[in-house]
Amino acid sequence: IHNWCFDWRKSTTQGKVNTEKARQRAEDLISQIDLSPTLRLMATNPLLLSLMARTHVDKGKLASKRVDLYGDVCQVLLEGRQRYRKTTEVGLSAKRKQGVLQHLALEMTKAGMLQFTLDKKTTKEGTYAQAKALLEEELNRVPKNAPTPEEFVGKDEVGVRELLSDRQQEGLYEFAHRTFQEYLTAAELKRTG
């Protein structure tokens, strides 16, 4: 955590790091994790710990409930790149991006799939092949500057890449951690009643 906070400060301050501020951030994050058994358990996974640290940097504190923490992580990741790069070239809000991902996660979960492809010709078993059509339908609801499904999952500026991992040579995508698919599925079920 100390190394992560130091490296984050370094990357966001053009290499001029206030080591005391980085140390304080790390100590604050550690104390928040220590206060919650749920957060301690999540912190044993390096990816989830990194996402917790990233969320702590943006929000200043961590939600104590797992569901709230996942909501915060999604918000931070989905709006993060646009905020740090100060770009507005993609007309999708974090809320809209999450809505698209929620619909995709629900359909993948209903189909019992963990991976998806944007190649309609792929017939790899266990791969959700309807993702491109679903994403096209969802993204066509955006009034202007709608990205293509390929841009949505592949362009850094759009901001969903950090929630997905890809194997580009195979044309396969999946959520960076299965719990993200589970969280987004639950959020979509709650939204749709």
Side-chain angles (χ1 to χ4, degrees):
I1 290 174
H2 282 278
N3 288 341
W4 192 97
C5 288
F6 180 82
D7 289 344
W8 180 261
R9 301 274 316 159
K10 186 177 179 180
S11 71
T12 58
T13 59
Q14 291 79 35
K16 299 174 185 171
V17 181
N18 179 333
T19 55
E20 181 58 23
K21 205 169 211 174
R23 186 193 66 73
Q24 288 172 351
R25 280 267 196 199
E27 291 300 322
D28 184 53
L29 175 57
I30 290 168
S31 70
Q32 287 184 46
I33 290 170
D34 282 342
L35 289 174
S36 169
T38 300
L39 296 182
R40 278 198 309 271
L41 181 61
M42 290 175 69
T44 62
N45 178 301
L47 172 65
L48 296 179
L49 176 59
S50 176
L51 294 172
M52 290 165 68
R54 171 83 184 273
T55 301
H56 179 262
V57 164
D58 279 27
K59 299 260 184 201
K61 64 180 222 145
L62 296 177
S64 58
K65 292 166 74 178
R66 179 181 282 229
V67 67
D68 296 333
L69 179 62
Y70 275 101
D72 289 347
V73 167
C74 286
Q75 180 186 5
V76 165
L77 294 179
L78 292 173
E79 69 184 21
R81 286 192 187 270
Q82 289 171 318
R83 185 171 3 123
Y84 288 113
R85 291 184 180 176
K86 295 177 177 57
T87 180
T88 57
E89 61 184 68
V90 177
L92 292 174
S93 67
K95 184 177 179 177
R96 183 67 187 121
K97 288 185 266 188
Q98 183 168 329
V100 172
L101 289 174
Q102 284 177 195
H103 191 178
L104 176 62
L106 176 60
E107 293 305 315
M108 288 174 62
T109 300
K110 286 180 359 187
M113 309 282 181
L114 296 176
Q115 297 180 328
F116 68 94
T117 182
L118 298 178
D119 181 1
K120 293 179 182 178
K121 297 176 189 141
T122 298
T123 57
K124 184 174 182 200
E125 189 176 322
T127 302
Y128 186 69
Q130 294 82 17
K132 184 168 184 167
L134 183 145
L135 290 173
E136 283 173 341
E137 181 181 325
E138 287 291 313
L139 294 169
N140 283 336
R141 295 179 185 174
V142 177
K144 58 181 178 179
N145 297 333
T148 65
E150 291 80 8
E151 291 169 335
F152 184 73
V153 300
K155 280 183 77 176
D156 284 344
E157 295 79 21
V158 175
V160 300
R161 281 192 53 153
E162 292 185 30
L163 283 174
L164 300 173
S165 35
D166 61 25
R167 294 189 300 209
Q168 287 185 345
Q169 64 275 20
E170 298 174 55
L172 298 176
Y173 302 88
E174 61 191 354
F175 289 94
H177 195 273
R178 186 171 184 173
T179 55
F180 284 115
Q181 182 174 341
E182 292 166 352
Y183 166 77
L184 292 165
T185 297
E188 183 67 0
L189 288 170
K190 182 178 179 182
R191 186 191 71 78
T192 59

Coordinates of all heavy atoms in Angstrom, one line a residue, residues 9-87:
R9 N 1.2 9.0 -6.3 CA 1.5 10.4 -6.2 C 2.5 10.9 -7.2 O 2.4 11.9 -7.8 CB 2.0 10.7 -4.8 CG 1.1 10.4 -3.7 CD 0.1 11.4 -3.2 NE 0.5 12.8 -3.1 CZ -0.3 13.8 -3.1 NH1 -1.6 13.6 -3.3 NH2 0.1 15.0 -3.0
K10 N 3.5 10.0 -7.4 CA 4.6 10.3 -8.4 C 4.0 10.4 -9.8 O 4.4 11.4 -10.5 CB 5.6 9.2 -8.3 CG 6.8 9.5 -9.2 CD 7.9 8.4 -9.0 CE 9.1 8.6 -9.8 NZ 10.1 7.5 -9.7
S11 N 3.1 9.6 -10.2 CA 2.5 9.6 -11.5 C 1.6 10.8 -11.7 O 1.4 11.2 -12.9 CB 1.8 8.3 -11.8 OG 0.6 8.2 -11.1
T12 N 1.0 11.3 -10.7 CA 0.0 12.4 -10.8 C 0.6 13.7 -10.5 O -0.1 14.7 -10.6 CB -1.2 12.1 -10.0 OG1 -0.8 12.0 -8.6 CG2 -1.9 10.9 -10.4
T13 N 1.9 13.8 -10.1 CA 2.5 15.1 -9.7 C 3.8 15.3 -10.5 O 4.7 16.0 -10.0 CB 2.8 15.2 -8.2 OG1 3.7 14.1 -7.9 CG2 1.5 15.1 -7.4
Q14 N 3.9 14.8 -11.7 CA 5.0 15.0 -12.6 C 6.3 14.6 -11.8 O 7.4 15.3 -12.0 CB 5.1 16.4 -13.1 CG 4.1 16.8 -14.2 CD 2.7 17.1 -13.5 OE1 2.7 17.7 -12.4 NE2 1.7 16.7 -14.2
G15 N 6.3 13.6 -11.0 CA 7.5 13.1 -10.3 C 7.8 13.8 -9.0 O 8.8 13.4 -8.4
K16 N 7.1 14.9 -8.7 CA 7.4 15.6 -7.5 C 6.5 15.0 -6.3 O 5.4 15.4 -6.2 CB 7.2 17.1 -7.6 CG 8.0 17.7 -8.7 CD 7.6 19.1 -9.0 CE 8.4 19.7 -10.2 NZ 8.0 21.0 -10.6
V17 N 7.1 14.2 -5.5 CA 6.3 13.5 -4.5 C 6.6 14.0 -3.2 O 7.7 14.2 -2.7 CB 6.7 12.0 -4.5 CG1 5.8 11.2 -3.5 CG2 6.4 11.4 -5.9
N18 N 5.5 14.4 -2.5 CA 5.6 14.7 -1.1 C 5.5 13.4 -0.3 O 4.4 12.8 -0.2 CB 4.4 15.7 -0.7 CG 4.4 16.1 0.7 OD1 4.9 15.3 1.6 ND2 3.9 17.2 1.0
T19 N 6.6 12.9 0.1 CA 6.6 11.5 0.7 C 5.8 11.5 2.0 O 5.2 10.4 2.3 CB 8.1 11.0 1.0 OG1 8.7 12.0 1.8 CG2 8.8 10.8 -0.3
E20 N 5.7 12.5 2.7 CA 4.9 12.6 3.9 C 3.5 12.4 3.6 O 2.7 11.7 4.3 CB 5.2 13.8 4.8 CG 4.4 13.9 6.0 CD 4.7 12.7 7.0 OE1 5.7 12.1 6.9 OE2 3.8 12.5 7.8
K21 N 3.0 13.1 2.6 CA 1.6 13.1 2.2 C 1.3 11.6 1.7 O 0.2 11.1 2.0 CB 1.3 14.1 1.1 CG -0.1 14.5 1.0 CD -0.3 15.7 0.1 CE -1.4 16.5 0.6 NZ -1.6 17.8 -0.1
A22 N 2.2 11.1 0.9 CA 2.0 9.7 0.4 C 1.9 8.7 1.6 O 1.1 7.8 1.6 CB 3.1 9.3 -0.5
R23 N 2.8 8.9 2.6 CA 2.8 8.0 3.8 C 1.5 8.2 4.5 O 0.9 7.2 5.0 CB 4.0 8.3 4.7 CG 4.1 7.4 5.9 CD 5.1 7.9 6.9 NE 4.6 9.1 7.6 CZ 3.6 9.1 8.5 NH1 3.0 8.0 8.8 NH2 3.2 10.2 9.1
Q24 N 1.0 9.4 4.7 CA -0.3 9.6 5.4 C -1.5 9.0 4.7 O -2.3 8.4 5.3 CB -0.5 11.2 5.5 CG 0.4 11.8 6.5 CD 0.2 13.3 6.5 OE1 -0.4 13.9 5.7 NE2 0.8 14.0 7.5
R25 N -1.5 9.1 3.3 CA -2.5 8.5 2.5 C -2.5 6.9 2.8 O -3.6 6.3 3.0 CB -2.3 8.7 1.0 CG -2.8 10.1 0.6 CD -4.2 9.9 0.1 NE -4.5 11.1 -0.6 CZ -5.7 11.5 -0.9 NH1 -6.7 10.8 -0.5 NH2 -5.9 12.6 -1.5
A26 N -1.3 6.4 2.7 CA -1.2 4.9 2.9 C -1.7 4.5 4.3 O -2.4 3.5 4.4 CB 0.3 4.5 2.7
E27 N -1.3 5.2 5.3 CA -1.7 4.9 6.7 C -3.2 5.0 6.9 O -3.8 4.2 7.5 CB -0.9 5.8 7.7 CG 0.6 5.5 7.8 CD 0.9 4.0 8.2 OE1 0.1 3.5 9.1 OE2 1.8 3.5 7.7
D28 N -3.8 6.1 6.3 CA -5.2 6.2 6.3 C -5.9 5.1 5.7 O -6.9 4.5 6.2 CB -5.6 7.6 5.7 CG -7.1 7.8 5.8 OD1 -7.6 7.8 7.0 OD2 -7.8 8.1 4.8
L29 N -5.4 4.7 4.5 CA -6.0 3.5 3.8 C -5.9 2.2 4.6 O -6.9 1.5 4.8 CB -5.4 3.3 2.4 CG -5.8 2.1 1.6 CD1 -7.3 2.1 1.4 CD2 -5.1 2.1 0.3
I30 N -4.7 2.0 5.2 CA -4.5 0.8 6.0 C -5.5 0.8 7.2 O -6.1 -0.2 7.5 CB -3.0 0.7 6.4 CG1 -2.1 0.4 5.2 CG2 -2.8 -0.3 7.5 CD1 -0.7 0.6 5.5
S31 N -5.6 1.9 7.8 CA -6.5 2.0 9.0 C -7.9 1.7 8.6 O -8.7 1.1 9.4 CB -6.3 3.3 9.8 OG -6.8 4.4 9.1
Q32 N -8.4 2.2 7.5 CA -9.8 2.0 7.0 C -10.0 0.5 6.7 O -11.0 -0.1 7.0 CB -10.1 2.9 5.8 CG -10.3 4.3 6.2 CD -10.7 5.1 5.0 OE1 -11.6 4.8 4.2 NE2 -10.1 6.3 4.8
I33 N -9.0 -0.1 6.1 CA -9.1 -1.5 5.8 C -9.1 -2.3 7.1 O -9.9 -3.3 7.2 CB -7.9 -2.0 4.9 CG1 -8.1 -1.4 3.5 CG2 -7.8 -3.5 4.8 CD1 -6.9 -1.6 2.5
D34 N -8.3 -2.0 8.0 CA -8.2 -2.7 9.3 C -9.5 -2.7 10.1 O -9.8 -3.5 10.9 CB -7.0 -2.2 10.2 CG -5.7 -2.8 9.7 OD1 -5.7 -3.8 8.9 OD2 -4.7 -2.2 10.1
L35 N -10.3 -1.6 9.9 CA -11.5 -1.4 10.7 C -12.7 -2.4 10.2 O -13.6 -2.5 10.9 CB -12.0 0.0 10.6 CG -11.2 1.0 11.3 CD1 -11.7 2.5 11.0 CD2 -11.2 0.8 12.8
S36 N -12.5 -2.9 9.0 CA -13.6 -3.7 8.4 C -13.1 -5.1 8.1 O -12.3 -5.3 7.2 CB -14.2 -3.0 7.2 OG -15.0 -3.9 6.5
P37 N -13.7 -6.2 8.7 CA -13.3 -7.6 8.3 C -13.6 -7.8 6.8 O -12.8 -8.5 6.1 CB -14.2 -8.4 9.1 CG -14.6 -7.6 10.3 CD -14.6 -6.2 9.8
T38 N -14.6 -7.2 6.2 CA -14.9 -7.4 4.8 C -13.8 -6.8 3.9 O -13.4 -7.4 3.0 CB -16.3 -6.7 4.5 OG1 -17.3 -7.3 5.2 CG2 -16.6 -6.8 3.0
L39 N -13.4 -5.6 4.3 CA -12.3 -4.9 3.5 C -11.0 -5.7 3.7 O -10.3 -5.8 2.7 CB -12.2 -3.5 3.9 CG -13.4 -2.6 3.7 CD1 -13.1 -1.1 4.1 CD2 -13.8 -2.6 2.2
R40 N -10.8 -6.2 4.9 CA -9.5 -7.0 5.1 C -9.5 -8.2 4.2 O -8.5 -8.5 3.6 CB -9.4 -7.4 6.5 CG -8.8 -6.3 7.4 CD -8.2 -6.8 8.7 NE -9.2 -7.7 9.5 CZ -10.1 -7.2 10.4 NH1 -10.2 -5.9 10.6 NH2 -10.9 -8.1 11.0
L41 N -10.6 -8.9 4.1 CA -10.7 -10.0 3.2 C -10.5 -9.7 1.8 O -9.8 -10.3 1.0 CB -12.0 -10.8 3.4 CG -12.3 -12.0 2.6 CD1 -11.2 -13.1 2.9 CD2 -13.7 -12.6 2.8
M42 N -11.2 -8.6 1.3 CA -11.0 -8.1 -0.1 C -9.6 -7.7 -0.4 O -9.1 -7.9 -1.5 CB -12.0 -7.0 -0.4 CG -13.4 -7.4 -0.4 SD -14.5 -6.0 -0.6 CE -14.1 -5.5 -2.3
A43 N -8.9 -7.1 0.6 CA -7.5 -6.6 0.4 C -6.5 -7.7 0.2 O -5.4 -7.5 -0.2 CB -7.1 -5.8 1.6
T44 N -6.9 -9.0 0.4 CA -5.9 -10.1 0.2 C -5.8 -10.4 -1.3 O -4.8 -11.0 -1.7 CB -6.4 -11.4 0.9 OG1 -7.7 -11.8 0.4 CG2 -6.4 -11.2 2.4
N45 N -6.7 -9.9 -2.1 CA -6.6 -10.0 -3.6 C -5.9 -8.8 -4.1 O -6.4 -7.6 -3.9 CB -8.0 -10.1 -4.2 CG -8.0 -10.2 -5.7 OD1 -7.6 -9.4 -6.4 ND2 -8.6 -11.3 -6.2
P46 N -4.8 -8.9 -4.8 CA -4.0 -7.8 -5.3 C -4.8 -6.8 -6.2 O -4.7 -5.6 -6.1 CB -2.8 -8.4 -6.0 CG -2.7 -9.7 -5.4 CD -4.1 -10.2 -5.1
L47 N -5.6 -7.4 -7.1 CA -6.4 -6.5 -7.9 C -7.4 -5.7 -7.1 O -7.5 -4.5 -7.3 CB -7.2 -7.3 -9.0 CG -8.2 -6.6 -9.8 CD1 -7.5 -5.5 -10.7 CD2 -9.1 -7.5 -10.6
L48 N -8.1 -6.3 -6.2 CA -9.1 -5.6 -5.4 C -8.5 -4.6 -4.5 O -9.0 -3.5 -4.3 CB -10.0 -6.6 -4.6 CG -10.9 -7.5 -5.5 CD1 -11.6 -8.5 -4.6 CD2 -11.8 -6.8 -6.4
L49 N -7.3 -5.0 -4.0 CA -6.6 -4.0 -3.1 C -6.2 -2.8 -3.9 O -6.3 -1.6 -3.5 CB -5.3 -4.6 -2.5 CG -4.4 -3.7 -1.7 CD1 -5.2 -3.1 -0.5 CD2 -3.2 -4.5 -1.2
S50 N -5.7 -3.0 -5.1 CA -5.3 -1.9 -6.0 C -6.5 -1.0 -6.3 O -6.4 0.2 -6.3 CB -4.7 -2.4 -7.3 OG -4.4 -1.4 -8.2
L51 N -7.7 -1.6 -6.6 CA -8.9 -0.8 -6.8 C -9.4 -0.1 -5.6 O -9.9 1.0 -5.7 CB -10.0 -1.8 -7.4 CG -9.7 -2.3 -8.8 CD1 -10.7 -3.4 -9.2 CD2 -9.6 -1.3 -9.8
M52 N -9.2 -0.7 -4.4 CA -9.5 0.0 -3.2 C -8.6 1.2 -3.0 O -9.1 2.3 -2.6 CB -9.4 -1.0 -2.0 CG -10.4 -2.1 -2.0 SD -10.0 -3.5 -0.9 CE -10.1 -2.7 0.7
A53 N -7.3 1.0 -3.3 CA -6.4 2.2 -3.1 C -6.8 3.3 -4.1 O -6.8 4.5 -3.7 CB -5.0 1.7 -3.4
R54 N -7.1 2.9 -5.3 CA -7.5 3.9 -6.3 C -8.7 4.7 -5.9 O -8.8 5.9 -6.0 CB -7.7 3.2 -7.7 CG -8.3 4.0 -8.8 CD -7.2 4.9 -9.5 NE -7.9 5.7 -10.5 CZ -8.1 5.4 -11.7 NH1 -7.7 4.2 -12.2 NH2 -8.7 6.2 -12.5
T55 N -9.7 3.9 -5.4 CA -10.9 4.5 -4.9 C -10.7 5.4 -3.7 O -11.2 6.5 -3.6 CB -12.0 3.4 -4.5 OG1 -12.2 2.7 -5.7 CG2 -13.3 4.0 -4.1
H56 N -9.8 5.0 -2.8 CA -9.4 5.8 -1.6 C -8.8 7.1 -2.1 O -9.1 8.2 -1.5 CB -8.5 5.0 -0.7 CG -8.0 5.8 0.5 ND1 -6.8 6.4 0.5 CD2 -8.6 5.9 1.7 CE1 -6.7 7.0 1.7 NE2 -7.8 6.7 2.4
V57 N -8.0 7.1 -3.1 CA -7.4 8.3 -3.6 C -8.4 9.3 -4.1 O -8.4 10.5 -3.8 CB -6.4 8.0 -4.8 CG1 -6.0 9.3 -5.5 CG2 -5.1 7.4 -4.2
D58 N -9.4 8.8 -4.8 CA -10.4 9.7 -5.4 C -11.5 10.1 -4.4 O -12.0 11.3 -4.4 CB -11.1 9.0 -6.5 CG -10.3 9.1 -7.8 OD1 -9.1 9.2 -7.7 OD2 -11.0 9.0 -8.9
K59 N -11.9 9.2 -3.5 CA -13.0 9.5 -2.6 C -12.6 9.9 -1.2 O -13.3 10.5 -0.4 CB -13.9 8.2 -2.4 CG -14.5 7.8 -3.7 CD -15.9 8.2 -3.8 CE -16.6 7.7 -5.0 NZ -17.7 8.5 -5.4
G60 N -11.3 9.6 -0.8 CA -10.8 10.0 0.5 C -11.1 9.0 1.6 O -10.5 9.0 2.6
K61 N -12.1 8.1 1.3 CA -12.5 7.1 2.3 C -13.1 5.9 1.6 O -13.6 6.1 0.4 CB -13.4 7.6 3.4 CG -14.7 8.1 2.9 CD -15.6 8.6 4.1 CE -17.0 8.1 3.9 NZ -17.7 7.7 5.1
L62 N -13.1 4.8 2.2 CA -13.7 3.6 1.6 C -15.1 3.3 2.3 O -15.2 3.5 3.5 CB -12.8 2.4 1.9 CG -11.4 2.4 1.2 CD1 -10.6 1.2 1.6 CD2 -11.6 2.5 -0.3
A63 N -16.0 2.9 1.5 CA -17.3 2.5 2.0 C -17.1 1.2 2.8 O -16.2 0.4 2.4 CB -18.3 2.2 0.8
S64 N -17.8 1.0 3.9 CA -17.6 -0.1 4.7 C -18.3 -1.4 4.2 O -18.0 -2.5 4.6 CB -17.9 0.2 6.2 OG -19.3 0.6 6.2
K65 N -19.4 -1.2 3.5 CA -20.1 -2.3 2.9 C -19.6 -2.6 1.5 O -19.3 -1.7 0.7 CB -21.6 -1.9 2.9 CG -22.2 -1.8 4.2 CD -23.6 -1.1 4.2 CE -24.7 -2.0 3.7 NZ -26.0 -1.3 3.7
R66 N -19.5 -3.9 1.3 CA -18.9 -4.4 0.0 C -19.7 -3.8 -1.2 O -19.1 -3.4 -2.2 CB -19.0 -5.9 0.0 CG -18.4 -6.5 -1.3 CD -18.5 -8.0 -1.2 NE -17.4 -8.5 -0.4 CZ -16.6 -9.5 -0.8 NH1 -16.8 -10.1 -1.9 NH2 -15.6 -9.8 0.0
V67 N -21.0 -3.9 -1.2 CA -21.8 -3.4 -2.3 C -21.6 -1.9 -2.6 O -21.5 -1.5 -3.7 CB -23.3 -3.7 -2.1 CG1 -23.9 -2.9 -0.9 CG2 -24.1 -3.5 -3.4
D68 N -21.4 -1.1 -1.5 CA -21.2 0.3 -1.7 C -19.8 0.5 -2.2 O -19.6 1.4 -3.0 CB -21.4 1.1 -0.4 CG -22.8 1.0 0.1 OD1 -23.7 0.9 -0.7 OD2 -23.0 1.1 1.4
L69 N -18.8 -0.3 -1.8 CA -17.4 -0.2 -2.3 C -17.4 -0.5 -3.8 O -16.8 0.2 -4.5 CB -16.5 -1.1 -1.5 CG -15.0 -1.0 -2.0 CD1 -14.4 0.3 -1.8 CD2 -14.2 -2.1 -1.2
Y70 N -18.1 -1.5 -4.2 CA -18.1 -1.9 -5.6 C -18.7 -0.7 -6.4 O -18.3 -0.4 -7.5 CB -18.8 -3.2 -5.9 CG -17.9 -4.4 -5.7 CD1 -17.9 -5.1 -4.6 CD2 -17.0 -4.7 -6.7 CE1 -17.1 -6.2 -4.4 CE2 -16.2 -5.8 -6.6 CZ -16.2 -6.5 -5.4 OH -15.3 -7.6 -5.3
G71 N -19.8 -0.1 -5.9 CA -20.4 1.0 -6.6 C -19.4 2.2 -6.7 O -19.3 2.8 -7.8
D72 N -18.6 2.4 -5.6 CA -17.6 3.5 -5.7 C -16.5 3.2 -6.7 O -16.1 4.0 -7.4 CB -17.0 3.7 -4.3 CG -18.0 4.4 -3.3 OD1 -19.0 4.9 -3.8 OD2 -17.7 4.4 -2.1
V73 N -16.1 1.9 -6.6 CA -15.0 1.5 -7.6 C -15.4 1.7 -9.0 O -14.7 2.2 -9.8 CB -14.5 0.0 -7.3 CG1 -13.7 -0.5 -8.4 CG2 -13.8 -0.1 -6.0
C74 N -16.6 1.2 -9.3 CA -17.1 1.4 -10.7 C -17.2 2.9 -11.1 O -16.8 3.2 -12.2 CB -18.5 0.7 -10.8 SG -18.5 -1.1 -10.9
Q75 N -17.7 3.7 -10.2 CA -17.8 5.1 -10.5 C -16.4 5.7 -10.7 O -16.2 6.4 -11.7 CB -18.5 5.9 -9.4 CG -18.6 7.4 -9.7 CD -19.2 8.1 -8.5 OE1 -19.4 7.6 -7.4 NE2 -19.4 9.4 -8.7
V76 N -15.5 5.4 -9.9 CA -14.1 6.0 -10.0 C -13.5 5.5 -11.3 O -12.9 6.3 -12.1 CB -13.2 5.5 -8.8 CG1 -11.8 5.8 -9.1 CG2 -13.7 6.3 -7.6
L77 N -13.6 4.2 -11.6 CA -13.0 3.7 -12.9 C -13.7 4.2 -14.1 O -13.0 4.5 -15.1 CB -13.0 2.2 -12.9 CG -12.1 1.5 -11.8 CD1 -12.2 0.0 -11.9 CD2 -10.7 2.0 -11.9
L78 N -15.0 4.3 -14.1 CA -15.7 4.7 -15.3 C -15.6 6.2 -15.6 O -15.8 6.6 -16.7 CB -17.2 4.3 -15.2 CG -17.4 2.8 -15.2 CD1 -18.9 2.5 -14.9 CD2 -17.0 2.2 -16.5
E79 N -15.4 7.0 -14.6 CA -15.2 8.5 -14.9 C -13.8 8.9 -14.8 O -13.5 10.0 -15.2 CB -16.1 9.3 -13.9 CG -15.7 9.3 -12.5 CD -16.7 10.0 -11.6 OE1 -17.8 10.3 -12.0 OE2 -16.3 10.4 -10.5
G80 N -12.9 8.0 -14.3 CA -11.6 8.4 -14.0 C -10.7 8.9 -15.1 O -10.1 10.0 -15.0
R81 N -10.7 8.2 -16.2 CA -9.8 8.6 -17.3 C -10.2 10.0 -17.9 O -9.4 10.8 -18.2 CB -9.8 7.6 -18.4 CG -9.0 6.4 -18.0 CD -8.7 5.5 -19.3 NE -8.1 4.3 -18.9 CZ -6.8 4.1 -18.8 NH1 -6.0 5.1 -19.1 NH2 -6.3 2.9 -18.5
Q82 N -11.5 10.2 -18.0 CA -12.0 11.5 -18.5 C -11.7 12.6 -17.6 O -11.3 13.7 -18.0 CB -13.5 11.4 -18.8 CG -13.9 10.5 -20.0 CD -15.3 10.3 -20.1 OE1 -16.0 10.1 -19.1 NE2 -15.8 10.3 -21.3
R83 N -11.8 12.3 -16.3 CA -11.5 13.4 -15.3 C -10.0 13.7 -15.3 O -9.6 14.9 -15.3 CB -11.9 12.9 -13.9 CG -11.7 14.0 -12.9 CD -12.3 13.7 -11.5 NE -12.9 12.4 -11.5 CZ -12.6 11.5 -10.5 NH1 -11.7 11.8 -9.7 NH2 -13.1 10.3 -10.5
Y84 N -9.1 12.7 -15.3 CA -7.7 13.0 -15.2 C -7.1 13.5 -16.5 O -6.2 14.3 -16.5 CB -6.9 11.7 -14.8 CG -7.1 11.4 -13.3 CD1 -7.8 10.2 -13.0 CD2 -6.7 12.2 -12.3 CE1 -8.0 9.9 -11.6 CE2 -6.9 11.9 -11.0 CZ -7.6 10.8 -10.7 OH -7.8 10.5 -9.4
R85 N -7.7 13.1 -17.6 CA -7.2 13.7 -18.9 C -8.0 14.9 -19.3 O -7.7 15.5 -20.3 CB -7.4 12.6 -20.0 CG -6.5 11.5 -19.8 CD -6.6 10.5 -21.0 NE -5.7 9.4 -20.8 CZ -5.6 8.4 -21.6 NH1 -6.4 8.3 -22.6 NH2 -4.7 7.4 -21.4
K86 N -9.0 15.3 -18.5 CA -9.8 16.4 -18.8 C -10.4 16.4 -20.2 O -10.3 17.4 -20.9 CB -9.1 17.7 -18.5 CG -8.7 17.8 -17.0 CD -7.9 19.1 -16.8 CE -7.6 19.3 -15.3 NZ -6.9 18.3 -14.6
T87 N -10.9 15.2 -20.6 CA -11.4 15.1 -21.9 C -12.9 14.9 -21.9 O -13.5 14.4 -20.9 CB -10.8 13.8 -22.7 OG1 -11.4 13.8 -24.0 CG2 -11.0 12.6 -21.9

